Amino acid sequence: MPRELAFAAWTTPDQLAEWWGPEGFTNTFHEIDYSPGGVWRLTMHGPDGKDYPNRITFIEIAPNERIVLEHAEAPAFRVTALFEEAEGGTRVTFRQCFRHAEELEPIRVMCEESNEQNLDRLGRVLENAKRLSL
C-alpha cells in the first residue's frame, strides 16, 4: 500500500468517516479544515444511540508523512499518526498521548480496545482503496 493511499484515508473526509471510531460507530462531519490550526468538528454516533460531539484541532500535517491532532476537551489527548515506507507497503504508527493520566485510567481498557477496532476499520478502508486503485 503506497503511503499516499494511507495518508489519503486520513485526509479524505468520505474515507475518514468510514473508519474513524470503534466498531458500530458512524460519524457526521460538521466541518473539517486540514491545515495547522484547522478545526475538525464531528459527532460520533454510537451503536447505543448516543451522540458524542468532538472538536479536534490539527496541529501539524506533513503530506504523506505525519498528522498530529489534538482533542482538547476531557479526555484531552494528542494523536500522532506517522506514515513510513515499509517493505511491501506502508507502516502507519498511531500514538495517543493523554494530557492527564487521571483522565486515561478510568477508560484505559476501553480506549485500547477502541483504538484497535479503529485501526482494524482503517485497514479495511485501505484494502478497499488498494483494490480500487488496481
Side-chain angles (χ1 to χ4, degrees):
M1 168 76 51
R3 281 194 314 177
E4 295 79 13
L5 286 178
F7 189 82
W10 285 73
T11 57
T12 305
D14 290 346
Q15 287 186 37
L16 183 60
E18 281 185 56
W19 67 266
W20 189 259
E23 287 294 337
F25 276 74
T26 59
N27 298 289
T28 300
F29 290 3
H30 307 291
E31 72 176 292
I32 191 162
D33 175 1
Y34 288 111
S35 63
V39 172
W40 174 23
R41 283 188 324 100
L42 71 147
T43 301
M44 296 175 69
H45 309 287
D48 58 0
K50 291 183 184 175
D51 289 337
Y52 302 90
N54 287 262
R55 185 179 189 279
I56 295 167
T57 302
F58 290 98
I59 305 302
E60 182 180 357
I61 297 183
N64 303 319
E65 293 179 15
R66 179 177 46 261
I67 296 174
V68 180
L69 54 87
E70 189 167 85
H71 185 273
E73 298 92 19
F77 58 84
R78 183 172 281 205
V79 167
T80 301
L82 303 174
F83 305 85
E84 302 169 292
E85 288 184 19
E87 187 175 327
T90 300
R91 176 182 299 114
V92 177
T93 303
F94 181 98
R95 293 186 185 125
Q96 184 176 23
C97 182
F98 284 78
R99 188 178 306 156
H100 305 288
E102 62 271 9
E103 289 182 348
L104 169 61
E105 287 312 314
I107 62 170
R108 178 183 293 275
V109 171
M110 182 273 306
C111 188
E112 290 171 355
E113 291 172 2
S114 295
N115 283 337
E116 287 297 323
Q117 293 172 15
N118 199 21
L119 294 172
D120 289 345
R121 293 177 71 187
L122 170 59
R124 290 192 297 270
V125 167
L126 292 174
E127 282 300 316
N128 286 338
K130 183 178 177 181
R131 277 193 285 276
L132 291 174
S133 70
L134 296 177

